[in-house]
Amino acid sequence: MSKQVQVKELSAEAFRHYGSYAQMINPDAPKLGEPPVEFYRDMVQLDLGGCTLASFSTCRVQQRPTVVDVTEYHTACGEGILPLDADVLIHVAPATADDQPPLDDLEVFRVPRGTMVSLKTGVWHHAPFADGSDVANVLIVLPERTYANDCEVVELGEAEQVRIAG
């Protein structure tokens, strides 16, 4: 294993190159209405690449070694990630012009449960890691069948793998 990377807490400045995020539970954002009905509008936008049909999927991740050994990107759309019941760690790296992940630029962020992350098109990522729990259920938002027709996956050799610290 050639590299180790520290976990970062989410902040608008640190995450802006990869996309955006919003705390979806107990939000602190502009709203319409007052209790008992409040509508927090347009909190996160996700570019689905002109797709008219969004697909909502669950990614259930169990505790596993915190090593980035695989990464992927989508060429035609972004991806929405919402941890439902536990905090998670996600790795991200900037989009590239080829199928070579920029491992020297890879970063890892802690995403608190209830926080929606919107990744930009082309950003390298993969399944989250459960952080502090045995299992995490994560809502994934993509255009229908993206996993089958717009998912470039790269498995990293042992020397390229990145260990997550902290």
Side-chain angles (χ1 to χ4, degrees):
M1 197 158 315
S2 65
K3 183 177 171 149
Q4 181 169 302
V5 64
Q6 292 289 326
V7 174
K8 295 182 176 182
E9 301 301 327
L10 273 177
S11 73
E13 179 62 26
F15 199 72
R16 69 182 170 85
H17 299 294
Y18 309 109
S20 60
Y21 68 92
Q23 175 53 261
M24 305 303 281
I25 299 172
N26 300 316
D28 180 19
K31 65 179 179 176
L32 300 174
E34 297 298 327
V37 177
E38 300 169 296
F39 176 65
Y40 294 87
R41 66 201 185 279
D42 303 329
M43 292 176 61
V44 178
Q45 288 73 46
L46 174 61
D47 180 359
L48 291 177
C51 176
T52 58
L53 185 61
S55 183
F56 298 84
S57 304
T58 298
C59 181
R60 183 176 169 89
V61 293
Q62 296 180 3
Q63 198 59 242
R64 67 188 196 277
T66 51
V67 174
V68 177
D69 55 4
V70 63
T71 190
E72 69 181 36
Y73 69 94
H74 312 294
T75 60
C77 67
E79 179 171 329
I81 301 170
L82 173 62
L84 299 171
D85 55 2
D87 296 351
V88 298
L89 304 176
I90 62 168
H91 81 269
V92 290
T96 56
D98 58 21
D99 291 342
Q100 298 302 308
L103 298 177
D104 289 338
D105 297 323
L106 184 139
E107 297 187 84
V108 175
F109 290 91
R110 179 174 288 106
V111 181
R113 70 179 176 166
T115 301
M116 178 73 175
V117 171
S118 173
L119 297 182
K120 294 178 180 179
T121 302
V123 167
W124 290 88
H125 65 284
H126 200 255
F129 295 87
D131 184 37
S133 65
D134 290 336
V135 66
N137 291 288
V138 182
L139 179 69
I140 304 295
V141 183
L142 288 163
E144 183 182 29
R145 295 190 44 77
T146 296
Y147 58 88
N149 57 35
D150 181 20
C151 190
E152 300 297 324
V153 179
V154 173
E155 293 188 26
L156 303 175
E158 190 171 336
E160 298 172 299
Q161 294 177 4
V162 178
R163 179 174 307 283
I164 299 171

